[in-house]
Coordinates of all heavy atoms in Angstrom, one line a residue:
M20 N -4.7 29.5 -28.4 CA -4.8 28.3 -27.6 C -3.6 28.1 -26.7 O -3.7 27.7 -25.6 CB -5.0 27.1 -28.5 CG -5.3 25.8 -27.8 SD -6.9 25.9 -26.9 CE -7.2 24.3 -26.6
S21 N -2.4 28.4 -27.3 CA -1.2 28.3 -26.5 C -1.2 29.2 -25.3 O -0.8 28.8 -24.2 CB 0.0 28.6 -27.4 OG 1.2 28.6 -26.7
E22 N -1.7 30.4 -25.4 CA -1.7 31.4 -24.3 C -2.7 30.9 -23.2 O -2.4 31.0 -22.1 CB -2.1 32.7 -24.9 CG -2.1 33.8 -23.8 CD -2.5 35.1 -24.4 OE1 -1.9 35.5 -25.4 OE2 -3.3 35.8 -23.7
L23 N -3.8 30.4 -23.7 CA -4.9 29.9 -22.7 C -4.3 28.7 -22.0 O -4.5 28.6 -20.7 CB -6.1 29.5 -23.5 CG -7.4 29.6 -22.7 CD1 -7.9 31.0 -22.8 CD2 -8.4 28.6 -23.4
W24 N -3.6 27.7 -22.7 CA -3.1 26.6 -22.0 C -2.0 27.0 -21.0 O -1.9 26.4 -20.0 CB -2.6 25.6 -23.0 CG -2.0 24.4 -22.3 CD1 -0.7 24.1 -22.2 CD2 -2.7 23.4 -21.7 NE1 -0.5 23.0 -21.5 CE2 -1.7 22.4 -21.2 CE3 -4.0 23.1 -21.5 CZ2 -2.1 21.3 -20.5 CZ3 -4.4 21.9 -20.8 CH2 -3.4 21.0 -20.3
G25 N -1.2 27.9 -21.4 CA -0.1 28.4 -20.6 C -0.6 29.0 -19.3 O 0.0 28.9 -18.2
R26 N -1.7 29.7 -19.4 CA -2.3 30.4 -18.3 C -3.1 29.5 -17.3 O -3.0 29.5 -16.1 CB -3.1 31.5 -18.7 CG -3.7 32.3 -17.5 CD -4.5 33.5 -18.0 NE -3.5 34.5 -18.4 CZ -3.9 35.7 -18.9 NH1 -5.2 36.0 -19.1 NH2 -3.0 36.6 -19.2
Y27 N -3.9 28.6 -18.0 CA -4.9 27.8 -17.2 C -4.7 26.3 -17.3 O -5.5 25.6 -16.7 CB -6.3 28.2 -17.6 CG -6.7 29.6 -17.4 CD1 -6.9 30.4 -18.6 CD2 -6.8 30.1 -16.2 CE1 -7.3 31.7 -18.4 CE2 -7.1 31.5 -16.0 CZ -7.4 32.3 -17.1 OH -7.7 33.6 -17.0
G28 N -3.7 25.9 -18.0 CA -3.5 24.5 -18.2 C -3.2 23.6 -17.0 O -3.9 22.6 -16.7
K29 N -2.4 24.1 -16.1 CA -2.1 23.4 -14.9 C -3.3 23.3 -14.0 O -3.6 22.3 -13.4 CB -0.9 24.1 -14.2 CG -0.4 23.3 -13.0 CD 0.8 23.9 -12.4 CE 2.0 23.4 -13.1 NZ 3.3 23.8 -12.5
I30 N -4.0 24.4 -13.9 CA -5.2 24.5 -13.0 C -6.3 23.5 -13.6 O -6.9 22.7 -12.8 CB -5.8 25.9 -12.9 CG1 -4.9 26.8 -12.2 CG2 -7.2 25.9 -12.3 CD1 -5.1 28.3 -12.3
A31 N -6.4 23.5 -14.9 CA -7.4 22.6 -15.5 C -7.0 21.1 -15.3 O -7.9 20.2 -15.0 CB -7.5 22.8 -17.0
C32 N -5.7 20.8 -15.3 CA -5.3 19.4 -15.1 C -5.5 19.0 -13.6 O -5.8 17.9 -13.4 CB -3.8 19.3 -15.5 SG -3.6 19.0 -17.3
I33 N -5.2 19.9 -12.7 CA -5.4 19.6 -11.3 C -6.9 19.4 -11.0 O -7.2 18.4 -10.3 CB -4.8 20.8 -10.4 CG1 -3.3 20.7 -10.5 CG2 -5.3 20.6 -9.0 CD1 -2.6 21.9 -9.8
I34 N -7.7 20.2 -11.6 CA -9.2 20.0 -11.3 C -9.6 18.7 -12.0 O -10.4 17.9 -11.3 CB -10.0 21.2 -11.9 CG1 -9.7 22.4 -11.0 CG2 -11.5 20.9 -12.0 CD1 -10.3 23.7 -11.6
F35 N -9.2 18.4 -13.2 CA -9.6 17.1 -13.8 C -9.0 15.9 -13.1 O -9.6 14.9 -12.9 CB -9.0 17.1 -15.3 CG -9.4 15.9 -16.0 CD1 -10.7 15.6 -16.4 CD2 -8.4 14.9 -16.3 CE1 -11.0 14.4 -17.0 CE2 -8.8 13.7 -17.0 CZ -10.0 13.5 -17.3
Y36 N -7.7 16.1 -12.5 CA -7.1 15.0 -11.8 C -7.9 14.7 -10.5 O -8.2 13.5 -10.2 CB -5.7 15.4 -11.4 CG -5.0 14.5 -10.4 CD1 -4.7 13.2 -10.8 CD2 -4.8 14.9 -9.1 CE1 -4.0 12.4 -9.9 CE2 -4.2 14.0 -8.2 CZ -3.8 12.8 -8.6 OH -3.2 11.9 -7.8
I37 N -8.4 15.7 -9.8 CA -9.1 15.5 -8.6 C -10.5 14.8 -8.9 O -10.9 13.9 -8.3 CB -9.4 16.8 -7.8 CG1 -8.1 17.3 -7.3 CG2 -10.4 16.7 -6.8 CD1 -8.1 18.7 -6.7
F38 N -11.2 15.3 -10.0 CA -12.4 14.7 -10.4 C -12.2 13.2 -10.8 O -13.0 12.4 -10.4 CB -13.0 15.5 -11.6 CG -14.2 14.9 -12.1 CD1 -15.4 15.1 -11.4 CD2 -14.3 14.3 -13.3 CE1 -16.6 14.5 -11.9 CE2 -15.4 13.7 -13.8 CZ -16.6 13.8 -13.1
A39 N -11.2 13.0 -11.6 CA -10.9 11.6 -12.1 C -10.6 10.7 -10.9 O -11.0 9.6 -10.8 CB -9.8 11.6 -13.1
L40 N -9.8 11.2 -10.0 CA -9.4 10.4 -8.8 C -10.6 10.1 -7.9 O -10.8 9.0 -7.5 CB -8.3 11.2 -8.0 CG -7.5 10.4 -7.1 CD1 -6.8 9.3 -7.8 CD2 -6.5 11.3 -6.3
V41 N -11.5 11.0 -7.7 CA -12.7 10.8 -6.9 C -13.6 9.8 -7.6 O -14.1 8.8 -6.9 CB -13.5 12.1 -6.7 CG1 -14.9 11.9 -6.1 CG2 -12.7 13.0 -5.7
M42 N -13.8 9.9 -8.9 CA -14.6 8.9 -9.6 C -14.0 7.5 -9.6 O -14.7 6.5 -9.3 CB -14.7 9.4 -11.1 CG -15.6 10.6 -11.3 SD -17.3 10.2 -10.8 CE -17.6 11.5 -9.7
Q43 N -12.6 7.5 -9.7 CA -11.9 6.1 -9.7 C -12.1 5.5 -8.3 O -12.3 4.3 -8.2 CB -10.5 6.3 -10.1 CG -10.3 6.5 -11.5 CD -10.5 5.3 -12.3 OE1 -10.5 4.2 -11.8 NE2 -10.5 5.5 -13.6
M44 N -11.9 6.3 -7.3 CA -11.9 5.8 -5.9 C -13.4 5.4 -5.5 O -13.6 4.4 -4.9 CB -11.4 6.8 -4.9 CG -9.9 7.1 -5.1 SD -8.9 5.6 -4.8 CE -7.6 6.0 -6.0
T45 N -14.3 6.2 -5.9 CA -15.7 5.8 -5.7 C -16.1 4.5 -6.3 O -16.7 3.6 -5.7 CB -16.7 6.9 -6.2 OG1 -16.3 8.2 -5.5 CG2 -18.1 6.6 -5.9
T46 N -15.7 4.4 -7.6 CA -16.0 3.1 -8.3 C -15.3 1.9 -7.7 O -15.9 0.9 -7.5 CB -15.6 3.3 -9.8 OG1 -16.3 4.4 -10.4 CG2 -16.0 2.0 -10.6
T47 N -14.0 2.1 -7.4 CA -13.3 1.0 -6.8 C -13.9 0.7 -5.4 O -14.0 -0.5 -5.1 CB -11.8 1.4 -6.6 OG1 -11.3 1.8 -7.9 CG2 -11.0 0.3 -6.0
F48 N -14.2 1.7 -4.6 CA -14.8 1.4 -3.3 C -16.1 0.6 -3.5 O -16.4 -0.4 -2.7 CB -15.1 2.7 -2.6 CG -15.7 2.5 -1.3 CD1 -14.9 2.2 -0.2 CD2 -17.0 2.7 -1.0 CE1 -15.4 2.0 1.1 CE2 -17.6 2.5 0.2 CZ -16.8 2.2 1.3
L49 N -17.0 1.0 -4.4 CA -18.3 0.3 -4.6 C -18.1 -1.1 -5.1 O -18.9 -2.0 -4.7 CB -19.2 1.2 -5.5 CG -19.7 2.5 -5.0 CD1 -20.4 3.2 -6.1 CD2 -20.5 2.3 -3.8
I50 N -17.1 -1.3 -5.9 CA -17.0 -2.7 -6.5 C -16.2 -3.6 -5.6 O -16.5 -4.7 -5.4 CB -16.3 -2.6 -7.9 CG1 -17.2 -1.9 -8.9 CG2 -15.9 -4.0 -8.4 CD1 -16.6 -1.6 -10.2
W51 N -15.1 -3.1 -5.0 CA -14.2 -3.9 -4.3 C -14.3 -3.9 -2.8 O -13.5 -4.6 -2.0 CB -12.7 -3.6 -4.6 CG -12.4 -4.0 -6.0 CD1 -12.5 -3.2 -7.1 CD2 -11.9 -5.2 -6.5 NE1 -12.1 -3.9 -8.2 CE2 -11.7 -5.1 -7.9 CE3 -11.6 -6.4 -5.8 CZ2 -11.3 -6.2 -8.6 CZ3 -11.1 -7.5 -6.6 CH2 -11.0 -7.3 -8.0
N52 N -15.2 -3.1 -2.2 CA -15.3 -3.0 -0.7 C -15.6 -4.4 -0.1 O -16.5 -5.1 -0.5 CB -16.4 -2.0 -0.3 CG -16.3 -1.7 1.1 OD1 -15.3 -1.8 1.8 ND2 -17.4 -1.1 1.6
G53 N -14.8 -4.7 0.9 CA -15.0 -5.9 1.6 C -14.3 -7.1 1.1 O -14.3 -8.2 1.6
R54 N -13.6 -6.9 0.0 CA -12.8 -8.0 -0.6 C -11.3 -8.0 -0.2 O -10.9 -6.9 0.2 CB -12.9 -8.1 -2.1 CG -14.4 -8.3 -2.5 CD -14.5 -8.6 -4.0 NE -15.8 -9.1 -4.3 CZ -16.6 -8.3 -5.0 NH1 -16.2 -7.2 -5.5 NH2 -17.9 -8.8 -5.3
S55 N -10.6 -9.0 -0.3 CA -9.2 -9.0 0.1 C -8.3 -8.1 -0.7 O -7.3 -7.7 -0.3 CB -8.7 -10.5 0.1 OG -8.8 -11.0 -1.2
L56 N -8.7 -7.9 -1.9 CA -7.8 -7.0 -2.8 C -8.2 -5.6 -2.8 O -7.7 -4.8 -3.6 CB -7.9 -7.5 -4.3 CG -7.4 -8.9 -4.5 CD1 -7.7 -9.3 -6.0 CD2 -5.9 -9.0 -4.2
F57 N -9.0 -5.2 -1.8 CA -9.6 -3.8 -1.8 C -8.4 -2.7 -1.8 O -8.4 -1.8 -2.6 CB -10.5 -3.6 -0.7 CG -11.0 -2.2 -0.5 CD1 -11.9 -1.7 -1.4 CD2 -10.5 -1.4 0.6 CE1 -12.3 -0.3 -1.2 CE2 -11.0 -0.1 0.7 CZ -11.8 0.4 -0.2
W58 N -7.5 -2.8 -0.9 CA -6.5 -1.8 -0.7 C -5.5 -1.8 -1.9 O -5.0 -0.8 -2.3 CB -5.8 -1.9 0.6 CG -6.6 -1.4 1.7 CD1 -7.2 -2.2 2.7 CD2 -7.1 -0.1 1.9 NE1 -8.1 -1.4 3.4 CE2 -8.0 -0.1 3.0 CE3 -6.8 1.1 1.3 CZ2 -8.5 1.0 3.5 CZ3 -7.4 2.3 1.8 CH2 -8.3 2.2 2.9
I59 N -5.2 -3.0 -2.4 CA -4.4 -3.1 -3.6 C -5.0 -2.4 -4.8 O -4.3 -1.7 -5.5 CB -4.0 -4.6 -3.9 CG1 -3.2 -5.2 -2.8 CG2 -3.4 -4.7 -5.3 CD1 -3.0 -6.7 -2.9
M60 N -6.3 -2.6 -5.0 CA -7.0 -2.0 -6.1 C -7.1 -0.5 -5.9 O -6.9 0.3 -6.9 CB -8.4 -2.5 -6.2 CG -8.5 -3.9 -6.7 SD -7.6 -4.2 -8.3 CE -8.6 -3.2 -9.4
I61 N -7.2 0.0 -4.7 CA -7.2 1.5 -4.4 C -5.9 2.0 -4.8 O -5.8 3.1 -5.5 CB -7.6 1.7 -2.9 CG1 -9.0 1.5 -2.6 CG2 -7.2 3.2 -2.6 CD1 -10.0 2.5 -3.1
I62 N -4.8 1.4 -4.4 CA -3.5 1.9 -4.7 C -3.2 1.8 -6.2 O -2.7 2.8 -6.8 CB -2.4 1.1 -3.9 CG1 -2.5 1.4 -2.4 CG2 -1.0 1.4 -4.4 CD1 -1.8 0.5 -1.5
V63 N -3.6 0.8 -6.8 CA -3.4 0.6 -8.3 C -4.2 1.7 -9.1 O -3.7 2.3 -10.0 CB -3.8 -0.8 -8.8 CG1 -3.8 -0.9 -10.3 CG2 -2.8 -1.8 -8.2
Q64 N -5.4 1.9 -8.7 CA -6.2 3.0 -9.3 C -5.6 4.3 -9.1 O -5.6 5.2 -10.0 CB -7.7 3.0 -8.8 CG -8.5 1.8 -9.2 CD -8.7 1.8 -10.7 OE1 -8.8 2.8 -11.4 NE2 -8.8 0.6 -11.3
F65 N -5.1 4.6 -7.9 CA -4.4 5.9 -7.7 C -3.2 6.1 -8.6 O -3.0 7.1 -9.2 CB -4.1 6.0 -6.2 CG -3.2 7.2 -5.8 CD1 -3.9 8.4 -5.7 CD2 -1.9 7.1 -5.7 CE1 -3.2 9.6 -5.4 CE2 -1.1 8.3 -5.4 CZ -1.8 9.5 -5.2
L66 N -2.4 5.0 -8.6 CA -1.2 5.1 -9.4 C -1.5 5.3 -10.9 O -0.8 6.0 -11.6 CB -0.3 3.9 -9.2 CG 0.3 3.8 -7.8 CD1 1.1 2.5 -7.6 CD2 1.2 5.0 -7.5
I67 N -2.4 4.5 -11.4 CA -2.8 4.6 -12.8 C -3.3 6.0 -13.2 O -2.9 6.6 -14.2 CB -3.8 3.5 -13.2 CG1 -3.2 2.1 -13.2 CG2 -4.5 3.8 -14.6 CD1 -4.2 1.0 -13.4
T68 N -4.2 6.5 -12.4 CA -4.8 7.8 -12.6 C -3.7 8.9 -12.6 O -3.7 9.8 -13.4 CB -5.9 8.1 -11.6 OG1 -6.9 7.1 -11.6 CG2 -6.6 9.5 -11.8
T69 N -2.8 8.8 -11.6 CA -1.8 9.8 -11.4 C -0.8 9.8 -12.6 O -0.5 10.8 -13.2 CB -1.0 9.5 -10.1 OG1 -1.9 9.6 -9.0 CG2 0.1 10.6 -9.9
A70 N -0.4 8.6 -13.1 CA 0.5 8.4 -14.2 C -0.2 8.9 -15.5 O 0.5 9.6 -16.3 CB 0.9 6.9 -14.4
L71 N -1.4 8.6 -15.7 CA -2.1 9.0 -16.9 C -2.3 10.6 -17.0 O -2.0 11.2 -18.0 CB -3.4 8.3 -17.1 CG -3.3 6.9 -17.5 CD1 -4.7 6.3 -17.5 CD2 -2.6 6.7 -18.8
I72 N -2.6 11.2 -15.9 CA -2.8 12.6 -15.9 C -1.4 13.3 -16.1 O -1.3 14.3 -16.8 CB -3.4 13.1 -14.5 CG1 -4.8 12.6 -14.5 CG2 -3.3 14.6 -14.4 CD1 -5.8 13.2 -15.5
F73 N -0.4 12.8 -15.5 CA 1.0 13.3 -15.6 C 1.5 13.2 -17.1 O 2.0 14.2 -17.6 CB 2.0 12.6 -14.7 CG 3.4 13.1 -14.8 CD1 3.7 14.4 -14.2 CD2 4.4 12.4 -15.4 CE1 4.9 14.9 -14.3 CE2 5.6 12.9 -15.5 CZ 5.9 14.2 -14.9
I74 N 1.3 12.1 -17.7 CA 1.7 11.9 -19.1 C 0.9 12.8 -20.0 O 1.4 13.5 -20.9 CB 1.5 10.4 -19.5 CG1 2.5 9.5 -18.8 CG2 1.6 10.2 -21.0 CD1 2.3 8.1 -18.9
T75 N -0.4 12.9 -19.8 CA -1.3 13.8 -20.6 C -0.9 15.3 -20.5 O -0.8 16.0 -21.5 CB -2.8 13.6 -20.2 OG1 -3.1 12.2 -20.3 CG2 -3.7 14.4 -21.0
Y76 N -0.5 15.7 -19.3 CA -0.1 17.0 -19.1 C 1.2 17.3 -19.8 O 1.3 18.4 -20.4 CB 0.0 17.3 -17.6 CG 0.5 18.7 -17.3 CD1 -0.3 19.8 -17.4 CD2 1.8 19.0 -16.8 CE1 0.1 21.1 -17.2 CE2 2.2 20.3 -16.6 CZ 1.4 21.3 -16.7 OH 1.8 22.6 -16.5
K77 N 2.2 16.4 -19.7 CA 3.4 16.6 -20.4 C 3.3 16.7 -21.9 O 3.8 17.5 -22.6 CB 4.4 15.5 -20.0 CG 4.9 15.5 -18.6 CD 5.7 16.8 -18.4 CE 6.2 16.9 -17.0 NZ 6.9 18.2 -16.7
V78 N 2.4 15.7 -22.5 CA 2.2 15.7 -23.9 C 1.5 17.0 -24.3 O 1.8 17.6 -25.4 CB 1.4 14.4 -24.3 CG1 0.9 14.6 -25.8 CG2 2.2 13.2 -24.1
A79 N 0.5 17.4 -23.6 CA -0.2 18.7 -23.9 C 0.7 19.9 -23.9 O 0.6 20.8 -24.7 CB -1.4 18.8 -23.0
N80 N 1.6 19.9 -22.9 CA 2.6 21.0 -22.9 C 3.4 21.0 -24.2 O 3.7 22.1 -24.7 CB 3.4 20.9 -21.6 CG 2.8 21.7 -20.5 OD1 1.9 22.5 -20.6 ND2 3.3 21.3 -19.3
R81 N 3.9 19.9 -24.5 CA 4.7 19.8 -25.7 C 4.0 20.3 -27.0 O 4.5 21.0 -27.8 CB 5.2 18.4 -26.0 CG 6.4 18.1 -25.1 CD 7.3 17.1 -25.7 NE 8.4 16.9 -24.8 CZ 8.8 15.7 -24.4 NH1 8.2 14.6 -24.7 NH2 9.8 15.6 -23.6
V82 N 2.7 19.8 -27.1 CA 2.0 20.1 -28.3 C 1.5 21.6 -28.3 O 1.6 22.3 -29.3 CB 0.7 19.2 -28.4 CG1 -0.2 19.6 -29.5 CG2 1.2 17.7 -28.6
L83 N 0.9 22.1 -27.2 CA 0.3 23.4 -27.2 C 1.3 24.5 -26.9 O 0.9 25.7 -27.2 CB -0.8 23.4 -26.1 CG -2.0 22.4 -26.5 CD1 -2.9 22.4 -25.3 CD2 -2.7 22.9 -27.7
L84 N 2.4 24.3 -26.4 CA 3.4 25.4 -26.1 C 4.5 25.4 -27.0 O 5.7 25.7 -26.6 CB 3.8 25.3 -24.6 CG 2.7 25.4 -23.5 CD1 3.4 25.3 -22.2 CD2 2.1 26.8 -23.7
K85 N 4.3 25.1 -28.3 CA 5.4 25.1 -29.3 C 5.7 26.5 -29.6 O 4.9 27.4 -29.7 CB 5.0 24.3 -30.5 CG 5.1 22.9 -30.4 CD 4.9 22.2 -31.7 CE 5.2 20.8 -31.6 NZ 5.1 20.1 -32.8

């Protein structure tokens, strides 16, 4: 598992990040479009998704690359 993660982990995280970001932005757009907080919600969703993926990647590296 360690060898697999070392080789494909970053690519998997980038693909998952793009997928998660598209889903978050689509949902935010459909719910908040036309409201005054639209751009704030887009920015917040982007920051939350980015932070969570970064933290998950760092934790996975520590656990899987021992």
Side-chain angles (χ1 to χ4, degrees):
M20 186 65 163
S21 174
E22 183 180 314
L23 206 84
W24 179 258
R26 181 177 283 178
Y27 300 113
K29 189 176 275 191
I30 294 169
C32 278
I33 289 171
I34 291 170
F35 181 72
Y36 172 71
I37 291 170
F38 177 74
L40 201 58
V41 166
M42 290 295 129
Q43 287 286 345
M44 293 301 146
T45 303
T46 303
T47 303
F48 180 79
L49 291 173
I50 293 172
W51 289 92
N52 192 20
R54 297 195 171 110
S55 59
L56 295 175
F57 175 71
W58 287 108
I59 293 171
M60 289 304 294
I61 288 285
I62 292 168
V63 169
Q64 288 294 329
F65 175 78
L66 293 175
I67 289 172
T68 305
T69 303
L71 288 177
I72 293 293
F73 181 75
I74 291 168
T75 304
Y76 179 73
K77 290 296 182 185
V78 169
N80 271 342
R81 281 207 177 128
V82 171
L83 294 173
L84 295 179
K85 281 187 173 183

